[in-house]
């Protein structure tokens, strides 16, 4: 990015871009001995970020079955081991605890709540005869785990408070949100934006706004467009003024606020949120990524209905709009880092029979179509696949009324319900999850409000689909008592796309 681009880019200023360039130069200097790849791992709530990272490391360290990962299948990867991470101020991803949860306790680990990092060093032999003569290769894979909700904050850097408020109010009054937002809208209707600033009023509005956002994210609605993202996972900023604001009912082109008013107070805190929360995340973590995987729980949105699908499409477009995609070159990697490969992965493919995996990929491809076109235009490579970082089910064929049906076998989590039965977390069952539609377009509407025809098509599809949450699998052991690696679906394909070329 040149100086002119930095001036017009809403995410960066000239001074900000200068700081990023200096940071990239420092990273490049350390890469002279051993090159590194910074891989961002993100996704909205419950998409499986922690599980993906744990499974990736476990399979690489323990020599898992990765037939489509050429460095492993070609026996060129000679080892992988964890190393101290390079960023001392970033929490370490607690890999050991997450493995213990998956393997020993057979429970899913806690979700991502903050940025964390892990360094995996891979030893390999080059596929090139010339490079093999120079000796064995080594690559640092720096894995940066962060909540996808934080990505939705990055577009706020280019929006003033009036624009943010107008967009938030438009969403809150939409067909599918008005009832959820009713308590917040009621309090807002009784609020005078030009009244004298008041801490109790600000706290009441912020608390009701956060309650509304949390309700939107609940399973019944599964909505995704919920900025500001840190409101749902405040961490040590909980209760701070920077997280105690809410949108007001003002137009996007409203005149400047009068000093000392509630609106001026909200606007000041919104700007503080951008300065102290959003911009440091962009500068310290996001702008330093080389490659990115975005995990998407498509099935969760399908369960919730057409509004959840439409909201997910909007969120994914916003997410990729915040990326810095571009073609990788030696000079650009030093001066201005670009994300040159982006993988969108539909998670929990093990909840479906393999005959439906292609349909799941097509639905995700349709969801990210607008975002993919933009990234590809800027020179980045984009891939879409259906995967399960940890496969919790097996496939089978069962007979029902004389008909052979493709089924999945697994142990539902305690408390899961299906057809009136509640499971105890110990009983393995066989179930037919249903079929996804052949045409993904049948799940998408063109109008602002969801049509009756679209709603009917969803109701028909939902009647045929049944998704349960399953316990992690019980791992087999070798004759020597060693635990085998975590089973997966297409984790090897994901690895090949994300880092295969760097191990060639």
């Amino acid at each position: 990015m040149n100086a002119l681009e930095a001036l017009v880019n809403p995410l960066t200023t000239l001074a900000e871009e200068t700081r990023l360039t200096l940071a990239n130069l420092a990273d490049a200097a350390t890469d002279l001995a051993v090159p590194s790849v910074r891989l961002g791992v993100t996704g909205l709530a419950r998409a499986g970020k922690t599980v993906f990272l744990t499974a990736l490391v476990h399979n690489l360290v323990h020599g898992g079955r990765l037939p489509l990962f050429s460095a492993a299948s070609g026996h060129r990867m000679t080892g992988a081991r964890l190393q101290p991470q390079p960023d001392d101020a970033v929490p370490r991803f607690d890999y050991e605890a997450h493995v213990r949860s998956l393997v020993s306790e057979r429970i899913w680990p806690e979700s991502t709540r903050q940025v964390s990092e892990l360094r995996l060093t891979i030893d390999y032999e080059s596929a090139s005869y010339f490079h093999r003569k120079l000796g064995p290769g080594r690559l640092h894979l720096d894995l940066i785990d962060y909540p996808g909700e934080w990505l939705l904050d990055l577009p706020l850097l280019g929006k003033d408070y009036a624009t943010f408020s107008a967009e938030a109010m438009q969403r809150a009054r939409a067909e599918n949100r008005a009832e959820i937002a009713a308590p917040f809208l009621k309090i807002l209707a009784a609020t005078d934006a030009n009244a004298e600033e008041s801490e109790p009023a600000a706290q009441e509005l912020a608390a009701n706004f956060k309650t509304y956002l949390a309700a939107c994210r609940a399973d019944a609605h599964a909505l995704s467009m919920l900025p500001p993202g840190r409101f749902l996972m405040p961490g040590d900023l909980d209760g701070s003024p920077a997280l105690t604001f809410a949108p007001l009912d003002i137009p996007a082109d409203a005149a400047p606020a009068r000093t000392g008013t509630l609106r001026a107070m909200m606007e000041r805190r919104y700007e503080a949120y951008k300065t102290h929360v959003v911009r440091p995340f962009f500068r310290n973590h996001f702008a330093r990524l080389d490659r990115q995987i975005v995990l998407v729980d498509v099935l969760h949105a399908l369960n919730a209905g057409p509004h959840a699908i439409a909201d997910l499409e909007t969120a994914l477009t916003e997410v990729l709009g915040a990326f810095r995609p571009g073609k990788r070159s030696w000079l650009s990697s030093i001066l201005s880092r670009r994300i040159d490969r982006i993988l969108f992965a539909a998670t929990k493919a093990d909840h479906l029979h393999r005959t439906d995996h292609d349909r799941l990929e097509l639905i995700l491809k349709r969801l990210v179509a607008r975002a993919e076109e933009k990234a590809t235009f800027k020179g980045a490579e984009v891939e879409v696949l259906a995967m399960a970082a940890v496969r919790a089910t097996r496939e089978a064929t069962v007979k029902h009324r004389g008909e052979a049906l493709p089924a999945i076998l697994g142990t539902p989590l305690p408390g899961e319900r299906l057809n009136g039965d509640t499971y105890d977390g110990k009983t393995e069952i066989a179930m037919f999850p249903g079929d996804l539609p052949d045409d993904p377009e049948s799940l998408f509407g063109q109008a602002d409000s969801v049509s009756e025809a679209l709603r009917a098509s969803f109701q028909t599809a939902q009647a045929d689909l049944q998704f349960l949450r399953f316990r992690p699998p019980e791992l087999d052991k070798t004759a020597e008592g060693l635990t085998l690696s975590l089973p997966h679906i297409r984790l090897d394909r994901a690895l090949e796309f994300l880092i295969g070329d760097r191990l060639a």
Side-chain angles (χ1 to χ4, degrees):
M1 178 181 289
N2 58 37
L4 178 61
E5 289 176 313
L7 287 171
V8 299
N9 190 323
L11 298 183
T12 55
T13 63
L14 183 59
E16 191 82 28
E17 197 65 33
T18 301
R19 284 195 293 268
L20 292 175
T21 299
L22 292 174
N24 288 334
L25 285 169
D27 289 340
T30 61
D31 283 357
L32 291 176
V34 179
S36 68
V37 173
R38 291 178 63 84
L39 171 63
V41 180
T42 195
L44 300 176
R46 296 180 295 271
K49 299 178 290 295
T50 303
V51 173
F52 171 82
L53 266 171
T54 305
L56 181 152
V57 174
H58 195 264
N59 273 278
L60 289 179
V61 170
H62 291 274
R65 290 187 67 255
L66 301 167
L68 296 181
F69 183 38
S70 58
S73 61
H75 306 290
R76 293 188 294 102
M77 194 180 80
T78 57
R81 61 196 181 282
L82 292 172
Q83 298 269 49
Q85 64 197 65
D87 299 314
D88 293 332
V90 180
R92 182 180 183 273
F93 179 79
D94 198 353
Y95 166 74
E96 292 80 9
H98 298 323
V99 166
R100 188 162 54 249
S101 296
L102 286 168
V103 176
S104 301
E105 302 170 27
R106 292 184 63 200
I107 59 174
W108 299 108
E110 292 293 323
S111 300
T112 298
R113 306 291 297 178
Q114 62 181 357
V115 174
S116 62
E117 187 177 16
L118 197 67
R119 167 165 280 188
L120 186 70
T121 298
I122 301 173
D123 297 312
Y124 69 98
E125 298 287 344
S126 175
S128 162
Y129 175 80
F130 173 76
H131 286 101
R132 278 201 306 273
K133 289 298 181 183
L134 299 178
R138 182 175 296 171
L139 177 73
H140 292 320
L141 178 60
D142 293 326
L143 302 160
I144 294 84
D145 177 33
Y146 63 95
E149 286 78 3
W150 295 10
L151 275 183
L152 294 175
D153 282 348
L154 293 181
L156 299 181
L157 293 175
K159 299 175 183 178
D160 60 16
Y161 176 71
T163 302
F164 158 72
S165 290
E167 292 178 353
M169 296 311 302
Q170 183 180 20
R171 284 193 294 268
R173 291 185 171 122
E175 172 189 4
N176 61 313
R177 294 196 185 201
E179 185 176 349
I180 310 171
F184 168 67
L185 294 175
K186 182 178 179 180
I187 291 174
L188 191 60
T191 300
D192 180 3
N194 295 312
E196 185 178 352
E197 65 180 24
S198 164
E199 185 63 40
Q203 290 183 3
E204 183 181 29
L205 282 168
N208 280 272
F209 183 60
K210 292 172 187 176
T211 299
Y212 147 66
L213 293 178
C216 286
R217 192 174 66 172
D219 286 349
H221 308 291
L223 298 175
S224 305
M225 274 298 293
L226 304 172
R230 199 66 68 93
F231 276 27
L232 295 176
M233 43 185 67
D236 57 3
L237 292 173
D238 194 18
S240 66
L243 266 66
T244 309
F245 68 90
L248 293 172
D249 199 0
I250 56 176
D253 58 353
R258 182 166 47 86
T259 303
T261 61
L262 178 64
R263 179 186 157 195
M265 181 187 198
M266 292 292 192
E267 183 172 336
R268 184 173 65 251
R269 293 182 174 187
Y270 170 77
E271 292 299 330
Y273 181 82
K274 290 161 58 177
T275 299
H276 299 296
V277 177
V278 184
R279 196 170 290 282
F281 165 67
F282 173 79
R283 179 179 62 245
N284 299 332
H285 307 291
F286 186 73
R288 298 173 59 204
L289 298 177
D290 298 306
R291 295 189 174 174
Q292 177 71 55
I293 178 169
V294 181
L295 303 169
V296 186
D297 190 353
V298 176
L299 299 182
H300 186 57
L302 283 173
N303 267 347
H307 286 299
I309 283 288
D311 212 57
L312 179 59
E313 180 184 19
T314 301
L316 290 173
T317 303
E318 289 275 315
V319 161
L320 194 48
F323 286 168
R324 294 155 59 95
K327 194 176 177 96
R328 181 176 179 269
S329 69
W330 177 82
L331 184 61
S332 67
S333 66
I334 295 177
L335 298 179
S336 182
R337 229 164 183 144
R338 287 288 181 267
I339 297 176
D340 63 339
R341 291 195 178 190
I342 303 169
L343 176 63
F344 288 97
T347 58
K348 304 176 185 177
D350 56 332
H351 288 46
L352 298 167
H353 193 270
R354 66 177 179 274
T355 54
D356 261 338
H357 291 179
D358 287 347
R359 294 177 182 137
L360 183 59
E361 282 188 13
L362 287 174
I363 293 172
L364 180 56
K365 193 169 184 64
R366 171 61 177 80
L367 278 167
V368 302
R370 286 183 291 169
E372 180 183 3
E373 182 179 357
K374 180 179 178 181
T376 304
F377 175 77
K378 291 191 174 183
E381 294 183 53
V382 181
E383 184 70 51
V384 175
L385 62 81
M387 66 171 291
V390 173
R391 182 173 188 163
T393 66
R394 310 185 314 279
E395 292 186 353
T397 301
V398 298
K399 285 194 174 182
H400 179 66
R401 296 176 181 175
E403 182 181 0
L405 296 176
I408 57 175
L409 303 174
T411 304
L413 288 172
E416 286 290 288
R417 297 174 59 86
L418 179 66
N419 298 330
D421 294 327
T422 302
Y423 296 101
D424 59 5
K426 301 176 182 177
T427 307
E428 185 177 69
I429 67 167
M431 65 171 291
F432 173 60
D435 288 322
L436 295 174
D438 290 322
D439 180 13
E441 287 297 330
S442 65
L443 301 175
F444 296 86
Q446 302 301 318
D448 291 334
S449 61
V450 176
S451 68
E452 288 302 319
L454 180 61
R455 188 177 287 108
S457 71
F458 254 89
Q459 290 172 347
T460 301
Q462 285 176 308
D464 295 334
L465 294 171
Q466 302 177 91
F467 301 126
L468 290 178
R469 295 179 301 165
F470 294 92
R471 291 186 66 187
E474 185 172 5
L475 298 189
D476 295 329
K477 294 189 176 182
T478 65
E480 295 78 19
L482 298 176
T483 301
L484 299 178
S485 59
L486 289 161
H488 62 85
I489 297 175
R490 299 186 188 89
L491 177 63
D492 50 349
R493 189 172 140 191
L495 281 167
E496 181 65 19
F497 176 75
L498 291 168
I499 62 171
D501 64 312
R502 301 299 300 272
L503 301 176

